[in-house]
Amino acid sequence: MNLKNSIFLLLIFSFGLVFSQNPKSRADDYFFEYDFENAVLAYETDIADGFLLTPKQRLNLADSYFRTDSFDKASNLYVELFTQDSIMDNLQFNRMLQSLSKSSEDVELKAFIDNQVNGLTKELLENADFNNKMFADAVQNELGFKIFNLSANSEQSDFSATFYKEGVLFTSGRPNPRKKDYQPAGESYLDIYYGEMDELGFLKSAELFSGVEKTEYHKATPYFSEDLGSYFYVLSNTEGGELAFDENGKNSLAIGYEKEGGDFQFLLKDLSTSFYYPYYHKETDRLYFAADFENGYGGTDIYFVYTNKGQVMSAPINLGPRINSPGNEISPYIFENSLYFSSDIFYGIGGMDIYKSNINGDSFSIPVNLGPQINSDEDDFGFIIKNYHEGLLGYFSSNRPGGKGKDDIYGFMVDEKPGFQTFALNGKVVKLSDYSGISEATVRAYDENGQLLQEVVSDVDGNYSLEVPWQNAVRLEATKSKYSIFSLFLNEDKMKSQQQKILNMGIAYYDDLVEEQEGQTVVKLNKFYFDKNQTKITEAIAIELNKVVDAVQRFPAIQLRIETHTDSRGSSTTNFKLSQKRSDNIKKYLVQQGVPESNILYSVGYGEDKILNNCKNGVYCIDFLHKENQRSLIVVLNDNILFE
């Protein structure tokens, strides 16, 4: 693996120039000049000569080990600095984890992460666990497509393709007669090139693109919006035609905007902040990009701004810890409601890997590594894809072995989206009584053997989304305290159809199913009456008793007592026998409908023993007053301990 030609090239080597301030040793000079091999030698010489390195210099040495693939030395020094509460930032924390993943057994990395779990975001841990399971268990789409290197690639860096009319625009550091060489990279300042595409996705040629304003410095990572007829791209900050630096000597990148045949304007510019990889999403009128703001989650994070047809209308909004990590996230691209981006987070295959996250409103599913068909042991980034003829055409960039230059653009044609197969689902958890959303409900997915695959919690409006490695079958559950359990089993065929749809999970609130009557908790039923002197369950009675069946199905632990009462008309003995027979018939009906007998502890007939009004023996009452005493109650006996 050769990380020094990947992340380094993308985020610093190709883009930004920082002049070191008052270096204390030649080793510092090498480090700030990005000559990491000589920096290692110089720092090690200082140590051998008895010089005490400062914590910052020791961190520089760890970074230099990392840049030169000395992962054993890097991990040892990073961990030592980390345990000493050093000045390590989030990006260097990710490099430490990357070094551990490449130099130690998985169990050692897991043990280290487990020890630091309280300092890591919940999303990072979930993302890592999910992707590790994907590699261990998931089915990958065996699409059988061939990835091809473009003949238009050069010996220099070629990357970041974007679809443009009959071909693609891309970035290159190849020799350019109108530009100086960028010394840290040893190649020309980056510029935008155009290649015309043939029917198979190959580029017929590559020529300098003249459709945007000229600059002597970096101009790179274009995105063309056909809807706006406009170009978005990054370029070096300049003043008066010369590079502009902040007070720390940093030259950063800005995002520019240019309509076809129109004037250029800056959209996002800050001398201390670099912006990378603009992508305009027409459906939401958002401009996505990567940036190295100080308050991000790691190195570069992915952000967006709201626009009015490309004109910035808001402050940058971070996509949050589900997408951004302690590492670097770059090159956002949206296709068919999925966000594709690249990250060098520690649990990937190589340096930079390409991930896919499904979009659900303003939230994102766990980013899933596209797997070894696209990703390699090296850096893979700048993924784009579109519908093409009967299938899909896409491009990405990589510095994998066998290429022509430092970074090459690779193409592919395929019938289906590449990557691991997953089962993705979203919808709402709703209350059955009024279909309102239920917040903080727990949604779980199990495999066919009952093993928990994923657990998520619904948001304030009841929305949930989950994604698990593809299975032969899944069982879905949703519940919350004092609510019933929603359960659904899906075989593989039903999984394929269901994940194209919204799945709302209805659960019942216990308090909606019960009420207080006569000092006890009973199942909430409309009052029903047996025919005079009859014990038969009529259709009207069955409608109400079915609510009891439903309640037991939703709350299987409830224990019931059936009690039936008559009025005072007739003899007390006859009334007792009548009420007992009615209770027994209610029990018989419930059992026939699937209520376990073990849930019905008692069926009791009280006759006329518990008259509710003054209509007792010998007292004249009109019929509706007598009817007040005719009642059947389904009492919940364990209400007070049901949810302990």
Side-chain angles (χ1 to χ4, degrees):
M1 182 177 296
N2 191 3
L3 287 170
K4 64 187 177 184
N5 284 335
S6 54
I7 305 169
F8 172 51
L9 177 65
L10 279 168
L11 305 182
I12 301 173
F13 203 61
S14 294
F15 285 155
L17 180 62
V18 180
F19 294 119
S20 60
Q21 301 293 310
N22 301 319
K24 295 184 179 180
S25 75
R26 183 58 184 142
D28 293 328
D29 280 334
Y30 286 132
F31 179 81
F32 285 108
E33 291 168 1
Y34 313 128
D35 187 351
F36 296 118
E37 291 183 357
N38 280 321
V40 167
L41 294 175
Y43 280 127
E44 289 181 342
T45 299
D46 286 346
I47 293 172
D49 291 341
F51 290 102
L52 183 64
L53 299 185
T54 66
K56 182 64 174 71
Q57 288 175 317
R58 296 176 72 205
L59 193 55
N60 291 347
L61 176 56
D63 284 342
S64 299
Y65 283 141
F66 179 82
R67 297 296 194 190
T68 54
D69 299 348
S70 299
F71 297 118
D72 283 325
K73 291 181 178 180
S75 61
N76 289 335
L77 187 50
Y78 277 134
V79 170
E80 180 184 338
L81 291 165
F82 182 80
T83 55
Q84 294 173 359
D85 191 24
S86 77
I87 56 175
M88 185 183 296
D89 60 21
N90 287 346
L91 180 58
Q92 288 153 334
F93 176 79
N94 183 62
R95 289 176 186 160
M96 175 180 65
L97 297 181
Q98 283 182 288
S99 299
L100 285 168
S101 71
K102 300 177 196 317
S103 64
S104 61
E105 298 294 329
D106 289 342
V107 65
E108 295 180 55
L109 175 61
K110 185 178 186 306
F112 184 86
I113 293 173
D114 289 344
N115 288 334
Q116 308 303 325
V117 67
N118 291 331
L120 306 177
T121 67
K122 171 179 68 73
E123 291 85 356
L124 177 64
L125 295 172
E126 291 173 348
N127 292 359
D129 182 63
F130 184 87
N131 278 274
N132 288 334
K133 287 180 179 176
M134 288 292 301
F135 284 114
D137 305 325
V139 178
Q140 186 186 3
N141 287 331
E142 296 297 337
L143 299 178
F145 61 84
K146 182 179 179 182
I147 294 172
F148 52 88
N149 189 297
L150 300 183
S151 59
N153 286 314
S154 69
E155 295 181 358
Q156 286 73 34
S157 301
D158 300 289
F159 59 98
S160 188
T162 184
F163 295 112
Y164 176 71
K165 297 185 178 179
E166 303 303 320
V168 296
L169 300 176
F170 64 93
T171 304
S172 181
R174 64 189 65 195
N176 185 341
R178 75 185 191 193
K179 289 195 174 187
K180 307 173 187 175
D181 283 348
Y182 177 54
Q183 292 306 318
E187 54 186 64
S188 176
Y189 276 95
L190 298 173
D191 213 326
I192 298 172
Y193 288 74
Y194 171 73
E196 187 179 352
M197 188 175 66
D198 67 16
E199 280 295 304
L200 297 177
F202 291 91
L203 299 189
K204 301 177 183 178
S205 62
E207 58 187 36
L208 195 62
F209 184 62
S210 59
V212 293
E213 188 172 284
K214 297 178 181 179
T215 173
E216 294 184 7
Y217 302 103
H218 287 316
K219 181 170 59 180
T221 64
Y223 178 76
F224 176 71
S225 169
E226 187 172 347
D227 293 87
L228 299 180
S230 301
Y231 308 93
F232 300 84
Y233 57 94
V234 300
L235 69 164
S236 301
N237 277 312
T238 58
E239 290 180 4
E242 298 297 326
L243 291 173
F245 301 91
D246 70 3
E247 65 274 11
N248 295 316
K250 178 180 180 180
N251 172 250
S252 58
L253 290 172
I255 291 180
Y257 171 80
E258 196 169 334
K259 276 192 168 291
E260 288 185 293
D263 294 331
F264 167 85
Q265 61 178 294
F266 284 104
L267 290 183
L268 295 166
K269 179 179 180 180
D270 183 333
L271 289 182
S272 298
T273 301
S274 278
F275 302 91
Y276 313 98
Y277 295 94
Y279 168 77
Y280 175 74
H281 188 231
K282 65 177 183 178
E283 285 78 10
T284 58
D285 206 6
R286 292 176 176 179
L287 177 65
Y288 290 82
F289 57 90
D292 59 356
F293 289 113
E294 290 185 358
N295 60 351
Y297 290 92
T300 56
D301 284 0
I302 297 176
Y303 296 80
F304 74 85
V305 290
Y306 291 104
T307 79
N308 181 7
K309 296 183 178 179
Q311 299 302 308
V312 175
M313 302 296 290
S314 76
I317 299 170
N318 192 296
L319 293 197
R322 180 60 72 200
I323 299 298
N324 293 313
S325 76
N328 294 291
E329 281 70 45
I330 60 170
S331 58
Y333 186 83
I334 295 174
F335 176 68
E336 293 186 347
N337 212 41
S338 292
L339 170 69
Y340 295 86
F341 67 97
S342 293
S343 174
D344 64 357
I345 190 62
F346 64 89
Y347 49 77
I349 295 175
M352 276 275 172
D353 278 6
I354 300 166
Y355 292 81
K356 182 194 80 170
S357 173
N358 295 322
I359 303 172
N360 181 22
D362 286 329
S363 64
F364 299 88
S365 69
I366 289 176
V368 179
N369 192 295
L370 288 194
Q373 286 187 305
I374 289 291
N375 292 315
S376 69
D377 287 342
E378 303 299 330
D379 293 327
D380 305 285
F381 59 98
F383 181 94
I384 62 172
I385 191 171
K386 71 174 183 178
N387 293 306
Y388 188 71
H389 298 318
E390 299 302 317
L392 299 164
L393 170 68
Y395 297 94
F396 66 96
S397 306
S398 179
N399 66 343
R400 62 187 62 190
K404 297 180 180 179
K406 295 176 180 178
D407 288 306
D408 279 7
I409 300 171
Y410 292 81
F412 63 88
M413 293 186 74
V414 67
D415 293 333
E416 300 175 31
K417 294 179 186 178
F420 286 110
Q421 282 187 285
T422 64
F423 175 62
L425 197 63
N426 62 79
K428 269 190 173 186
V429 182
V430 297
K431 187 190 292 188
L432 283 174
S433 60
D434 59 9
Y435 293 95
S436 60
I438 300 172
S439 65
E440 298 182 344
T442 302
V443 179
R444 299 183 180 94
Y446 298 89
D447 67 15
E448 58 185 339
N449 299 315
Q451 184 72 31
L452 179 65
L453 297 170
Q454 190 181 9
E455 178 179 295
V456 298
V457 176
S458 62
D459 67 14
V460 66
D461 296 316
N463 298 304
Y464 75 90
S465 62
L466 59 82
E467 188 166 11
V468 298
W470 191 261
Q471 308 290 318
N472 294 323
V474 296
R475 181 168 58 84
L476 304 169
E477 282 189 0
T479 190
K480 184 179 179 177
S481 179
K482 295 202 77 174
Y483 281 83
S484 63
I485 297 175
F486 173 95
S487 183
L488 178 65
F489 180 84
L490 299 174
N491 60 25
E492 194 165 12
D493 288 338
K494 290 182 178 178
M495 288 168 61
K496 289 177 181 177
S497 61
Q498 183 59 65
Q499 75 171 347
Q500 308 299 324
K501 309 170 186 174
I502 296 294
L503 178 62
N504 291 335
M505 302 183 179
I507 56 178
Y509 185 40
Y510 176 75
D511 288 358
D512 289 338
L513 303 183
V514 299
E515 62 184 356
E516 292 296 312
Q517 282 192 36
E518 301 179 29
Q520 53 194 350
T521 301
V522 302
V523 179
K524 188 185 296 184
L525 306 174
N526 293 323
K527 193 166 184 179
F528 59 84
Y529 299 97
F530 286 87
D531 291 339
K532 186 175 182 180
N533 297 323
Q534 297 298 309
T535 61
K536 180 182 176 181
I537 304 297
T538 64
E539 184 177 344
I541 295 174
I543 290 173
E544 296 306 309
L545 293 182
N546 287 340
K547 297 176 183 177
V548 181
V549 177
D550 180 71
V552 175
Q553 289 175 342
R554 297 186 185 283
F555 297 95
I558 61 176
Q559 298 174 345
L560 305 176
R561 179 177 69 236
I562 303 168
E563 52 180 63
T564 301
H565 306 265
T566 67
D567 60 35
S568 62
R569 292 175 291 188
S571 71
S572 59
T573 301
T574 299
N575 287 335
F576 172 77
K577 291 179 180 179
L578 182 65
S579 62
Q580 184 62 55
K581 183 63 174 175
R582 286 174 173 175
S583 285
D584 291 342
N585 280 355
I586 289 174
K587 177 180 178 180
K588 182 179 179 180
Y589 177 84
L590 295 176
V591 172
Q592 287 174 341
Q593 302 307 309
V595 175
E597 284 196 66
S598 58
N599 285 78
I600 305 174
L601 301 188
Y602 309 99
S603 62
V604 182
Y606 287 99
E608 58 185 82
D609 287 353
K610 295 188 177 183
I611 297 297
L612 296 177
N613 52 30
N614 201 36
C615 296
K616 299 179 181 179
N617 287 330
V619 177
Y620 173 78
C621 288
I622 59 177
D623 187 62
F624 91 87
L625 292 175
H626 279 301
K627 277 187 172 290
E628 287 182 358
N629 296 310
Q630 298 175 27
R631 63 202 188 277
S632 293
L633 303 177
I634 312 299
V635 181
V636 181
L637 297 171
N638 59 340
D639 172 78
N640 60 329
I641 60 172
L642 193 56
F643 301 103
E644 289 184 352

